């Protein structure tokens, strides 16, 4: 009818990050503009890996802006493909996220350059030329800084997940839409708690641990201490597969505390991940993003990522020398799910010996070597041949960087009086569906677990 205001409706496409923990990729359209939130790799099985190179369900050249919530590969890993396939817009993130992403993508490019399964086209997508293009398109904003684009206002709030991680808040026609990215397991040893939200109309939230809870943080540290002491008594090697980003830095921080307070016996500790070593230097540059406790430690003169007995083995030759060092010792190496990196060589060497211990400190995706070991398999395939698993296996889930089920519900409870709909994503189906039902039953919230490529309309009138 004449004189009626045009409808203020946005279209949201779940192009990735559904039915899986990984592959975050969401498309928001409205007012003739297209915004992508995250563009991550599917991680886990060979089928998922092949899926990364399939054509996007949207035209990359039509996207105006890409917003990145944080620098984990399942949120950034397909950016080079997006650019290679025609994206010419602007990329935004927080300040640390940009610098971390540059290291993470370079590491992925290096892995692909040596991967037998990688095609020439895939290597071309991750060439130095394309990576340079990606970083040239990148702009940064800090937490709470408003970014107006047309009738939209964008801002980041601290997610407390990893250094620089941000929940993306979008205001349109006085309605608020929030993409959580990954939500931190607060309180963190290093980072501030996840920020509180208010007056949210639509929430797109992660659900990695939507169906289970973590042990308490103080119990986590006790169990780490016990694992180290037990390994010392067994005169073995304690191998800890770690995620280079955040988990590696947290482990150094906590072992530093144990060493300085004489809580554990003295033994060599090897930090055997070139990427984690480089990322730790980035963390050292951005201590203003740490929580009050960590900043006080630094202010008191403590080098929180260094302690007596620690050796960072950047070079391959240094890593090989670890095998010659007598037990007991600790080896912290990437990757966290044992699906690549130096940890594979250590697992191949140390898993058959019952004196040794493998300590798993985080989520293990389906199909990964870490998941096979966690599930109790006695023989696993490493570097194309069988390896007996006789080492002691210890799992401490409290080291997860993600909120658990109870805290995800608490997070949503703060906006229960305003939120119209919650979309539960970035979790295995059983986890997402459990959390969806829990939000409905506990809070009376309209919650929904979308499937891949679902398209919904957000009424912002």
């Amino acid at each position: 009818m004449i004189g009626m205001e045009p409808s203020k409706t946005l279209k949201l496409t779940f192009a990735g990050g559904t039915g899986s923990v990984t592959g975050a990729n969401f498309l928001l359209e409205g007012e003739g503009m297209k915004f992508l939130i995250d563009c991550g790799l599917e991680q886990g099985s060979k089928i998922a890996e092949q899926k990364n190179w399939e054509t996007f369900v949207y035209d990359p050249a039509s996207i105006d802006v890409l917003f990145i919530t944080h620098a984990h590969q399942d949120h950034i890993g397909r950016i080079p493909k997006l650019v290679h396939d025609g994206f010419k817009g602007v990329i935004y993130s927080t300040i640390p996220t940009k610098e971390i992403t540059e290291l993470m993508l370079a590491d992925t490019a290096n892995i692909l350059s040596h991967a037998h399964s990688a095609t020439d086209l895939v290597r071309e997508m991750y060439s130095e030329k394309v990576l340079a293009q990606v970083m040239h398109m990148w702009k940064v904003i800090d937490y709470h800084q408003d970014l107006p684009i047309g009738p939209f206002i964008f801002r980041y709030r601290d997610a407390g997940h990893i250094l620089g991680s941000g929940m993306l808040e979008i205001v349109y026609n006085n309605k608020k839409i929030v993409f959580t990215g990954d939500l931190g397991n607060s309180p963190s040893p290093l980072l501030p708690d996840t920020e509180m939200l208010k007056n949210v109309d639509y929430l797109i939230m992660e659900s990695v641990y939507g169906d289970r809870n973590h042990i308490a943080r103080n119990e986590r540290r006790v169990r780490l201490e016990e694992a180290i002491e037990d390994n010392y008594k067994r005169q073995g090697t304690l191998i800890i597969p770690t995620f280079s980003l955040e988990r590696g830095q947290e482990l150094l921080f906590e072992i530093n505390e144990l060493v300085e307070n004489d809580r554990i016996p003295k033994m060599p500790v090897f930090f055997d991940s070139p990427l984690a070593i480089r990322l730790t230097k980035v963390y050292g540059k951005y201590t203003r993003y740490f929580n009050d406790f960590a900043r006080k430690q630094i202010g008191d003169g403590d080098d929180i990522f260094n302690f007596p007995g620690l050796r960072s083995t950047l070079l391959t030759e240094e890593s090989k020398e670890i095998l010659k060092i007598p037990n007991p010792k600790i080896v912290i190496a990437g990757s966290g799910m044992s699906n690549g990196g130096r940890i594979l060589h250590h697992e191949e060497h140390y898993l058959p010996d019952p004196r040794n211990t493998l300590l798993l400190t985080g989520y293990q995706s389906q199909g990964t070597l870490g998941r096979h070991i966690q599930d109790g398999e006695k023989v696993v395939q490493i570097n194309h041949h069988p390896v007996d698993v006789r080492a002691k296996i210890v799992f401490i889930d409290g080291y997860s960087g993600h909120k658990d089920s109870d805290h995800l519900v608490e997070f949503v409870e703060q906006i229960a009086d305003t939120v119209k709909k919650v979309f539960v994503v970035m979790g295995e189906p059983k986890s997402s569906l459990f959390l969806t039902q829990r939000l409905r039953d506990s809070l009376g919230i309209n919650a929904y677990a979308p499937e891949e490529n679902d398209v919904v309309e957000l009424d912002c009138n």
Side-chain angles (χ1 to χ4, degrees):
M1 291 177 63
I2 297 172
M4 284 186 65
E5 288 287 325
S7 175
K8 299 289 186 182
T9 302
L10 303 178
K11 186 167 80 169
L12 173 60
T13 302
F14 297 91
T18 59
S20 168
V21 172
T22 60
N25 192 214
F26 310 102
L27 173 62
L28 187 67
E29 303 174 70
E31 298 281 356
M33 304 191 77
K34 294 184 179 182
F35 306 103
L36 268 188
I37 296 87
D38 289 334
C39 191
L41 286 171
E42 291 270 357
Q43 296 173 300
S45 69
K46 289 182 179 178
I47 295 172
E49 288 162 7
Q50 181 57 40
K51 191 176 178 181
N52 290 319
W53 320 124
E54 294 173 0
T55 304
F56 289 105
V57 296
Y58 46 80
D59 176 12
S62 71
I63 305 300
D64 296 290
V65 183
L66 166 63
F67 288 93
I68 297 299
T69 61
H70 66 285
H72 274 140
Q73 291 291 10
D74 58 330
H75 293 256
I76 62 168
R78 287 214 296 171
I79 299 175
K81 174 176 168 57
L82 188 76
V83 171
H84 178 273
D85 291 0
F87 173 70
K88 294 181 173 60
V90 182
I91 304 172
Y92 280 100
S93 76
T94 63
I95 297 163
T97 295
K98 178 184 178 183
E99 191 163 341
I100 293 169
T101 297
E102 190 164 11
L103 290 173
M104 298 290 282
L105 291 181
D107 184 68
T108 300
N110 181 55
I111 292 169
L112 289 172
S113 70
H114 296 96
H116 296 299
S117 59
T119 64
D120 289 342
L121 179 59
V122 168
R123 292 190 181 96
E124 182 185 312
M125 291 175 189
Y126 287 80
S127 65
E128 287 185 18
K129 179 182 176 182
V130 173
L131 295 189
Q133 240 180 307
V134 168
M135 301 319 297
H136 184 70
M137 296 173 160
W138 209 294
K139 296 184 178 180
V140 295
I141 55 175
D142 212 342
Y143 293 126
H144 312 128
Q145 180 182 339
D146 284 359
L147 175 68
I149 302 177
F152 300 88
I153 296 174
F154 298 85
R155 70 177 70 93
Y156 284 107
R157 296 199 179 277
D158 196 340
H161 174 59
I162 66 171
L163 185 69
S165 59
M167 298 177 283
L168 182 66
E169 214 173 65
I170 305 168
V171 178
Y172 170 70
N173 198 38
N174 295 317
K175 298 294 189 292
K176 188 184 291 184
I177 303 150
V178 175
F179 291 82
T180 66
D182 289 342
L183 295 167
N185 180 17
S186 303
S188 158
L190 293 172
L191 303 178
D193 291 354
T194 305
E195 281 193 66
M196 302 287 282
L197 298 178
K198 60 181 180 180
N199 302 323
V200 176
D201 295 277
Y202 297 101
L203 183 70
I204 299 87
M205 71 175 295
E206 67 117 317
S207 59
V208 173
Y209 282 87
D211 61 344
R212 55 209 185 281
N213 290 323
H214 305 314
I215 61 173
R217 190 165 294 276
N218 58 345
E219 184 181 344
R220 170 185 111 169
R221 185 174 292 191
V222 168
R223 290 180 62 181
L224 173 64
E225 183 179 338
E226 287 173 348
I228 293 172
E229 289 176 341
D230 179 66
N231 173 73
Y232 185 83
K233 290 173 185 173
R234 294 155 67 97
Q235 291 295 292
T237 296
L238 173 63
I239 47 175
I240 309 177
T242 189
F243 299 99
S244 299
L245 179 53
E246 190 69 27
R247 189 70 45 75
Q249 292 74 36
E250 281 194 0
L251 280 167
L252 289 185
F253 181 73
E254 296 218 320
I255 294 174
N256 173 64
E257 290 273 292
L258 294 173
V259 169
E260 292 192 345
N261 291 295
D262 295 320
R263 300 286 303 177
I264 55 175
K266 291 180 172 60
M267 71 189 89
V269 179
F270 296 93
F271 196 42
D272 191 33
S273 166
L275 178 59
I277 293 166
R278 294 185 180 103
L279 288 168
T280 302
K281 290 181 180 177
V282 175
Y283 268 64
K285 287 175 59 178
Y286 292 106
T287 57
R288 68 186 177 93
Y289 291 92
F290 290 0
N291 60 32
D292 291 342
F293 177 74
R295 282 190 282 110
K296 183 180 186 304
Q297 298 282 91
I298 295 167
D300 291 342
D302 186 4
D303 185 346
I304 62 173
F305 299 128
N306 196 16
F307 49 84
L310 178 66
R311 306 183 202 178
S312 294
T313 48
L314 189 62
L315 303 177
T316 303
E317 293 73 19
E318 295 173 321
S319 178
K320 290 177 179 177
E321 289 296 311
I322 294 173
L323 297 178
K324 301 176 184 177
I325 304 299
N327 291 342
K329 62 192 175 197
I330 300 170
V331 181
I332 303 169
S335 65
M337 298 183 195
S338 300
N339 53 353
R342 290 181 179 176
I343 193 65
L344 293 179
H345 301 287
H346 294 299
E347 287 174 335
E348 184 177 4
H349 182 80
Y350 292 113
L351 281 178
D353 189 337
R355 293 176 304 166
N356 299 329
T357 302
L358 176 71
L359 174 59
L360 300 173
T361 62
Y363 183 80
Q364 308 294 312
S365 283
Q366 288 184 342
T368 61
L369 174 60
R371 184 64 163 259
H372 290 304
I373 295 171
Q374 183 182 339
D375 287 345
E377 293 188 18
K378 297 303 180 186
V379 180
V380 294
Q381 290 288 323
I382 301 178
N383 295 327
H384 308 292
H385 66 267
V387 174
D388 292 328
V389 181
R390 298 193 188 97
K392 182 177 181 179
I393 308 301
V394 177
F395 180 63
I396 307 177
D397 69 350
Y399 274 94
S400 170
H402 296 261
K403 288 195 189 309
D404 62 15
S405 187
D406 285 352
H407 290 97
L408 287 170
V409 173
E410 285 178 14
F411 176 80
V412 178
E413 190 173 14
Q414 65 187 306
I415 55 167
D417 57 339
T418 63
V419 71
K420 295 181 177 67
K421 196 159 191 177
V422 175
F423 300 94
V424 181
V425 296
M426 293 179 288
E428 290 179 6
K430 64 183 181 66
S431 179
S432 297
L433 292 170
F434 183 92
L435 180 62
T436 298
Q437 194 61 49
R438 194 171 173 198
L439 293 174
R440 291 171 181 167
D441 294 344
S442 301
L443 302 178
I445 279 175
N446 183 4
Y448 161 61
E451 296 183 2
E452 188 173 3
N453 298 327
D454 275 0
V455 179
V456 298
E457 289 191 343
L458 306 182
D459 182 0
C460 296
N461 290 293

